[in-house]
Structures are given as C-alpha cells and as structure tokens.
Amino acid sequence: MQKINLSIFKKVYGILLVLNAFFFLGFSPLCAQHSVARQWNELLLEAIRNDFARPTVHARNLFHTSMAMYDAWSVYDDKATTYFLGKEVGGYFCPFEGIADPVNVDEARKEAISYAAYRLLSYRFELSPGSEESLARFDSLLLLLGYDQNNISTDYSTGSPAALGNYIADQIITYGFQDNSNEQIDYANLNYAPFNNAMSPASPGSQGLEDPNRWQPLSFDVFVDQAGFEIPGGVPEFLSPEWGKVTPFALSEEDLTIYNREGAEYWVYHDPGPPAYLQENGGGSSESYKWNHSLVSVWSSQLDPSDGTMIDISPASIGNLDINTFPTTLQGLEGFYNLEDGGDPGEGYDLNPHTQAPYEQQIVPKGDYARVLAEFWADGPDSETPPGHWFTILNYVNDLPLLEKRFKGEGPILDDLEWDIKAYFLLGGAMHDAAVAAWGLKGWYDYIRPISALRYMADKGQCTDSNLPNYDLEGLPLLDGYIELVAEGDTLAGDENEHIGKIKVFAWRGPEYITDPETSVGGVGWILAENWWPYQRPTFVTPPFAGYVSGHSTYSRAAAEIMTLMTGDEYFPGGMGAFIAPQNEFLVFEEGPSVDVVLQWAKYYDASDQCGLSRIWGGIHPPVDDIPGRLIGHEVGIDAFNFAEQYFDQTPTSTLLVPDNLMGNVFPNPVSNGRDIKLFINSSIGEEVNWSLFDVQGRNIVNGKVITASNEISISTSNIPQGFYLLRVDSGNMVDRVKIIIQ
C-alpha cells in the first residue's frame, strides 16, 4: 500500500473545504469573480458563523480585519492615507517608515491584503469552536492565491508586500491587547455583576425577581447560543457590559458620558437618557413601562399564520418612514407603534423611483410575515451575528447588476477591489462604533428583558381595576382579547381552580406546544402570563445581556446610513432589495412559513426599520429599546462615514467649513504628518494674509505671510509633531481660527 503524504493530504483537504465554502456562497476565487478583499471577507463571515455568537467581539473582528485590508491597500495608493500605519489610534502608535514602490502595484496590494487578513484571522479564530474548519479555510485560500503560509517575515523594509501584511496584522493584534476589550482574558467582564438572581424560563413566574427595572440572567439545563454552540455553566453571563470603554472608531468625546456604579466606570456614548421604569406606587414612567412590555405580549398573538389575517408586505404598503417622525419621548412611542395590529406608521411608496412603476403587492398571512421577520433578523443558528449580517447584505448589494460602484454615486466607477476595501472600512468602523455605543448603554442601564418584565407583572396581578381580583399597582394592564383574568370555568383555571384570578394572555404558546419542529407549530392561544415565552428556541429564549438599547436597531440604522452615503442613493439598486424565505423550509424551531415569503425593501432604511420591528415580534425588545437604538445608529453611521472618508482624500466631506467668510475650506483635516494643508481664502487677489499655527499650550509653532495670487494657500506640516493645533488666519480686516489635527 502506498503511504499517504499527510502534509499534501491536509493541503488538498483544505482546498476542498475552501472551494466548497466559496461555491456554496456562489463564487469561486479561481474564476476571479470577486476581489481578494471580498474573498477574505466571506471567509471571515463563515468563521463567525462557526464561532460563539458574540456580536460585540465580531463587530470588532470585522472592523479590525477591514482596517488591516484598508491599510494594506492604501499604502500603494497615491491619494489615500493609512488609518493605522504610522498613526496613533487609541493611545497606541504604530511605527511605519513607508515602503518602496512595487513593480506591480495590483499584485503587491493583493499580496499585502492577503497576508494581513490571513495572519489576523488565523490568530483571532484560533480558539474558536469551529477553528478546525475556519483555519483550514484560511490556509486554503492563501494557498489558492499562490502564497506561502510559512512566510512570517514582518520586515517590510525589504519591499515585501507579504512582510507588510504580516506587520500590519502583528501590530493590530498587539493594539488589540490594550483597547479595553479584555481580549487576553477572552473578553471577560472585570466589574459587572447581575443584581437579580437567575430565572429558569421552563418554570413559571419571574422566580423572585427583586428589581423589575434591571436585567435578570436566565438559567438553563442546556444553553445553546444563537450560533448553535452549547455554553457550559447553565447561567450565561452578561456579554460585554463594559464594552463602552473599548477604543472606538469615530465616536467623539463630546458624545461621551462616564458613569460610576459600585466603584466601576461605565462609558456611555450618545446617552438617550433612561428607559421606562416601573415604580411601586405606579408613578413616574410606570404606565409607559407597562404599555411597552404589554405590547410585546400583544404582538406575539400575531404569530399564527392560520388566523386568517392577510397583509401586503411589499414596498407598496410598508416602509418609507422619515427619521424626523421618530418619537423622542416615552409618550411618543404610543402613537408610533400599533398596539393591536402591529407595525409602524410606514405607508409605503406610490412608485418605484427607478422604474417609475408601482410596486407589485405581495399578500401573505401576517403570522408568516412576523415569524419570518423574527427569524431572519434574529441571526439564529448558522448566522454571522447582526454586524456580520449587514456585511452579508452589503455583499448582496455589491453583486446586484444595477449597482454602479461610484463613491457617493459620483465620479468614475471604482474597480471591485477599491470599492470593497472602502465599503468594508466604512461599514466595519460603523459596526464597531454601534457595538461600543449600544453595549455601553446596556451595561450602564442594565435594563430588563420582556420575559422577566411580563412575568414579574403577572406575578403581581392586574393594575386596571381595584374592584377586580388580584389588583396591584405593579401588575399588568388588562386588555380585552389579549390580557385578561382567569375566571371560574376557564380551561386555564386548573384541576383544583388554583389559577383562578391569575393573569392570562393571548399569545404565542411557546416551545412546549411544538412536538416536532419539522412538522408542527406552537400556535397562538390563551396561556398563563406567568408562562409567557418569546418567539425563540427553548435552549436560548433571550440574548444574555440587557435590552436597552437594541443592538439590532443600532447596528441596522448605522449600516443603512453607510450604504446610503456610500452608494449615493437611499434605495437598493433598482429600487428593490429582497430575501426569499421558502415555504416550510426557512423557520428553525417550528414549521413554516406556510407560503413563500419574500422580504422586500425599497430603501436601506426600510430594511433597518424592519429589523427593529422584528425584535418586538420576536419577544426580545419593547419599543423603548428600539427607537433610541435607531436614532443612535443614525448618528453613529453618519459620523463613521464622515470620519472614514477623510482617509480616502475625498474633499467634499473631508473638508472643514469655517463659519466666517475669510477662510473657506481647510483640508485634509486631520492631516498626515508631512502632507500639506490646503487652505482656501475668501479674499481679493493681491491681499496680504498672515497665518500662524499654535500648539495646545499657545506657542506659535510656525507662521507665514502670503500675498494671495489665488485663493489657495498650502501649509507644510513637515517637522511638526503629531497633535492638536490652532490655525489662525488674519487678513487685517478679519480673523478666522480653526482646530487642526496632525497625525
């Protein structure tokens, strides 16, 4: 028998693995249908699907990989500047002396990008539960691209693109040890401890919940995270409650508030203020608390496809919301969400703006639509977590034939690599900041989830009528047809009438009623409120972290802003984006949908808004978690885009407009050390203009005088240290000042 060469076998096996992955995703690196950045991004998404479901951690992985590939690309670009190489980021300085011009720029970029991604991903997923497959895929792609995995040199001074890629990855790995993510200890929490004792969802009631305004851990015999991996211990810990301290991308100190609890700091960006709180005397925001969580129960009554309710789910009838109509007060939420019918005020579009034809209606059972929505956006088994989900949507859009890859919809069509590199850098930065902002709020406000809130109020009773049984100011509000008292003769009364006077809800009945996920559904009916269950698997139930604000809503709106600004168009290419959920093939823990359901979106914002609604139908968030998340995502996405664009040397939004009339545009700002600052002057030709650059201590570092032969002045930053400076310009009749950042 011939002896098998094990090393060759491993390589061949790895190639088969990566080819299988690529063909499954609809493309092959061998036929060069996609850029090298896209190929590494697809493998990263696949690795996330085979790792623990940690949206904060993977938002960081997506961002760090995107910035590694961006820097490897930008080094070889005449206009772009690096983000990390040669810069200080989050207190970490990455030395970089530049690299010689290569003979073949395209090949050098491809090689540097590949080694940067390969080294970083191999490190980050080395301990993943799916590491065997993920690392094999990384090895195989590097091999398929013609590179040697044994080339570990970081000496880029030789001009080697491989060494440059290795160096970038090595520096980012080191940077990651001090960005406050606690990567060295597997992202463990340092100070946070839950206030409430754990609840076993399989048992009735809230089980001694002490504070109805704070998060309650859940206890399981077996807990399986949303990626499908079993987590030992029985009581999952709060994921990333201190993530607000992680070094952000574009979040500003102006948006930061630092709170203190039990001696520990909690960093919060874009603080919207507290959610609705329940009080013993029924005062404060108690009524809003009850309305918010009761709505979640009422909406779960809409998860039965056999109830005869049919709706149009096309852009002709849903979507098209203006963010300026989003409520900003607790009272405003009640006018925005439809309590009994579900949904929001979006009324859809008269016409597709690209085709000028009406959108075709799609009439489906509301129960199917709501269930598919909950499952699609939940990012359940085999998903890439919410930040990765939006990378998948971005890749889907990038493959649509009607997309023109013009940055901001203007100028020349970019080649696939430049488009992907910039798109990933933009989206990665936004997803990372969304995680920092949302989880900073989650850690500080530590807000309760609907399953705990509803069961707690049900344990208390009803708060509507003091003349009825089981009255308590902290109880559930009664609502005919949805939230009622168990009366004598009721099928829920119990064999010995032990449940008479308790609260019952008309809602999704829970996993107990699903005998076989392949053939049965839980259905909707009257159940005891103490047994209320979100539309989730029994081994998961609800995410292991606080609710306020919704991470899904924050991620989604930030991503929608990035894709809108990047493409220069609010609409999906051709005015339509879509996802097909096949009949009886899509849902995971019960049969369904009963018909084919096609999720359709005219605008990126429609997809984002739909994601927020899905979490309410899924029983994960009340409205009070949703809208603040959307509004924060709006700010995060726009700020991330504007911050990232400066590195592309795109002058329209990287310029700083000064309010007075003497100075016009100042760009780039921030400026890389050694590059010139371009200053446009609103002055007459021949006028004398003096300028001075002052450091933070008020010392005049450099100055000059020009007689304006044109309206443009160039100021060299050579030999000026990195830091913050004040640029003062004086024409004699007018003085302007602007802050300059030299990196």
Side-chain angles (χ1 to χ4, degrees):
M1 181 181 295
Q2 185 176 4
K3 185 177 181 180
I4 297 176
N5 186 314
L6 188 59
S7 63
I8 294 177
F9 174 78
K10 287 182 177 179
K11 288 183 178 180
V12 172
Y13 176 70
I15 293 173
L16 292 174
L17 274 177
V18 77
L19 284 174
N20 178 67
F22 278 121
F23 282 119
F24 174 76
L25 291 165
F27 69 97
S28 165
L30 295 178
C31 58
Q33 290 179 327
H34 292 93
S35 75
V36 68
R38 169 70 176 271
Q39 294 175 39
W40 285 110
N41 178 259
E42 293 285 6
L43 287 197
L44 168 54
L45 293 172
E46 189 63 24
I48 292 172
R49 296 180 189 112
N50 287 284
D51 194 17
F52 296 118
R54 299 181 289 187
T56 50
V57 173
H58 292 311
R60 178 175 175 269
N61 284 331
L62 286 159
F63 170 51
H64 285 186
T65 306
S66 297
M67 83 183 199
M69 294 196 296
Y70 172 77
D71 268 21
W73 175 88
S74 64
V75 161
Y76 300 104
D77 188 80
D78 293 334
K79 293 183 179 180
T81 60
T82 60
Y83 167 74
F84 188 66
L85 288 173
K87 307 291 177 59
E88 182 177 326
V89 177
Y92 181 89
F93 179 71
C94 175
F96 182 60
E97 301 298 329
I99 192 166
D101 291 337
V103 175
N104 188 319
V105 171
D106 291 341
E107 288 303 316
R109 277 179 170 159
K110 182 178 176 182
E111 186 174 344
I113 288 168
S114 294
Y115 276 93
Y118 172 74
R119 295 295 174 200
L120 181 59
L121 294 180
S122 297
Y123 175 80
R124 288 281 170 84
F125 289 92
E126 184 178 14
L127 301 179
S128 164
S131 61
E132 184 175 355
E133 290 187 8
S134 295
L135 296 182
R137 289 188 177 100
F138 302 152
D139 289 347
S140 300
L141 179 54
L142 196 74
L143 178 65
L144 285 167
L145 293 170
Y147 305 130
D148 181 7
Q149 70 183 72
N150 295 314
N151 184 347
I152 59 174
S153 171
T154 58
D155 184 8
Y156 62 85
S157 66
T158 62
S160 164
L164 175 63
N166 289 336
Y167 178 75
I168 291 171
D170 183 67
Q171 286 292 312
I172 291 176
I173 289 168
T174 305
Y175 161 74
F177 293 152
Q178 55 88 68
D179 70 346
N180 297 319
S181 66
N182 303 328
E183 181 181 0
Q184 306 96 305
I185 52 175
D186 197 27
Y187 310 99
N189 304 329
L190 298 181
N191 298 294
Y192 175 87
F195 181 84
N196 289 309
N197 292 325
M199 174 234 289
S200 172
S203 300
S206 63
Q207 300 161 36
L209 177 71
E210 187 173 345
D211 188 339
N213 297 310
R214 296 187 66 177
W215 180 69
Q216 182 181 35
L218 299 183
S219 174
F220 300 86
D221 293 332
V222 177
F223 175 70
V224 179
D225 76 1
Q226 282 197 271
F229 291 105
E230 182 176 338
I231 307 297
V235 181
E237 291 186 350
F238 191 131
L239 174 74
S240 308
E242 298 146 2
W243 205 257
K245 299 179 75 172
V246 173
T247 301
F249 174 59
L251 295 174
S252 167
E253 287 188 10
E254 297 175 357
D255 301 318
L256 173 64
T257 305
I258 299 177
Y259 293 106
N260 190 286
R261 183 171 62 226
E262 298 174 354
E265 287 186 348
Y266 289 83
W267 289 31
V268 172
Y269 292 89
H270 295 290
D271 185 8
Y277 288 140
L278 185 66
Q279 298 181 11
E280 289 184 12
N281 62 6
S285 54
S286 292
E287 293 307 309
S288 180
Y289 178 103
K290 297 170 187 176
W291 178 87
N292 267 274
H293 292 284
S294 295
L295 179 140
V296 178
S297 175
V298 172
W299 279 29
S300 76
S301 71
Q302 300 163 17
L303 297 170
D304 188 346
S306 65
D307 66 5
T309 305
M310 307 293 287
I311 61 171
D312 175 26
I313 64 169
S314 77
S317 299
I318 59 175
N320 198 18
L321 287 173
D322 183 343
I323 195 169
N324 294 314
T325 66
F326 286 7
T328 55
T329 65
L330 293 176
Q331 294 74 24
L333 294 172
E334 297 187 29
F336 186 83
Y337 297 89
N338 192 316
L339 173 63
E340 296 189 35
D341 293 333
D344 58 31
E347 296 181 350
Y349 303 81
D350 293 331
L351 297 173
N352 180 326
H354 288 266
T355 65
Q356 292 303 307
Y359 286 100
E360 183 178 351
Q361 288 190 331
Q362 183 191 175
I363 309 297
V364 301
K366 181 193 284 186
D368 278 331
Y369 172 66
R371 292 190 303 157
V372 167
L373 225 61
E375 183 62 41
F376 175 77
W377 290 109
D379 300 289
D382 303 321
S383 183
E384 53 284 304
T385 76
H389 196 160
W390 278 96
F391 271 81
T392 300
I393 293 173
L394 170 64
N395 288 336
Y396 157 76
V397 169
N398 288 344
D399 287 343
L400 294 176
L402 292 178
L403 175 69
E404 287 193 344
K405 296 180 178 179
R406 303 180 193 273
F407 187 70
K408 300 196 300 185
E410 304 169 350
I413 293 179
L414 304 183
D415 63 64
D416 287 348
L417 179 59
E418 181 174 356
W419 178 267
D420 288 343
I421 286 289
K422 290 180 176 179
Y424 294 155
F425 184 58
L426 287 162
L427 186 58
M431 296 298 92
H432 179 63
D433 278 1
V436 172
W439 266 258
L441 284 158
K442 287 175 184 290
W444 169 243
Y445 285 109
D446 200 30
Y447 195 54
I448 196 166
R449 290 282 187 171
I451 185 172
S452 298
L454 286 165
R455 290 188 177 199
Y456 176 87
M457 290 189 287
D459 289 344
K460 292 290 184 179
Q462 56 88 15
C463 66
T464 301
D465 191 340
S466 60
N467 295 316
L468 292 176
N470 213 358
Y471 176 76
D472 192 290
L473 286 173
E474 292 184 87
L476 276 166
L478 300 178
L479 180 63
D480 287 347
Y482 298 100
I483 305 173
E484 298 179 0
L485 287 169
V486 176
E488 188 175 350
D490 196 306
T491 55
L492 295 174
D495 294 338
E496 300 179 2
N497 290 326
E498 66 272 19
H499 299 313
I500 290 178
K502 287 186 176 181
I503 309 297
K504 66 177 182 178
V505 292
F506 190 66
W508 187 67
R509 296 186 300 174
E512 167 184 357
Y513 290 84
I514 301 171
T515 55
D516 182 353
E518 298 292 329
T519 59
S520 63
V521 298
V524 167
W526 286 103
I527 59 172
L528 294 175
E530 64 187 22
N531 296 324
W532 184 87
W533 201 283
Y535 186 68
Q536 303 291 325
R537 289 173 286 127
T539 53
F540 177 73
V541 184
T542 201
F545 42 82
Y548 185 77
V549 296
S550 167
H552 277 70
S553 298
T554 311
Y555 284 127
S556 296
R557 185 68 193 204
E561 298 292 356
I562 291 293
M563 295 178 71
T564 296
L565 291 167
M566 174 84 178
T567 62
D569 191 347
E570 296 176 309
Y571 290 84
F572 279 82
M576 177 72 87
F579 172 83
I580 301 173
Q583 179 182 7
N584 290 331
E585 293 181 13
F586 178 70
L587 298 183
V588 175
F589 52 86
E590 66 175 357
E591 187 184 37
S594 65
V595 298
D596 288 343
V597 173
V598 184
L599 300 182
Q600 297 175 324
W601 319 288
K603 293 179 180 177
Y604 303 112
Y605 300 135
D606 296 334
S608 169
D609 293 338
Q610 188 187 79
C611 178
L613 295 178
S614 77
R615 304 302 278 167
I616 303 175
W617 267 307
I620 298 301
H621 287 290
V624 73
D625 293 352
D626 174 28
I627 289 295
R630 297 195 210 182
L631 292 172
I632 293 168
H634 168 71
E635 298 287 341
V636 164
I638 292 174
D639 288 348
F641 185 90
N642 289 336
F643 182 77
E645 188 188 8
Q646 66 183 305
Y647 297 100
F648 307 158
D649 200 26
Q650 298 287 330
T651 57
T653 59
S654 62
T655 60
L656 178 59
L657 298 180
V658 182
D660 293 335
N661 292 324
L662 178 56
M663 279 196 286
N665 294 334
V666 181
F667 72 95
N669 187 21
V671 61
S672 298
N673 182 268
R675 292 192 64 186
D676 286 354
I677 299 171
K678 300 293 184 181
L679 170 62
F680 288 91
I681 301 296
N682 297 323
S683 64
S684 302
I685 300 299
E687 185 175 359
E688 182 180 289
V689 174
N690 298 283
W691 59 268
S692 300
L693 198 64
F694 298 88
D695 66 12
V696 292
Q697 297 178 343
R699 295 175 298 189
N700 187 193
I701 302 301
V702 64
N703 57 64
K705 178 189 297 184
V706 295
I707 304 296
T708 55
S710 69
N711 294 102
E712 180 179 332
I713 299 174
S714 292
I715 301 175
S716 173
T717 64
S718 297
N719 302 317
I720 300 178
Q722 295 177 343
F724 293 86
Y725 296 88
L726 182 69
L727 175 62
R728 181 182 186 274
V729 181
D730 181 1
S731 68
N733 297 319
M734 189 178 300
V735 177
D736 277 352
R737 299 174 180 83
V738 65
K739 184 170 70 175
I740 299 292
I741 303 173
I742 299 178
Q743 297 180 327

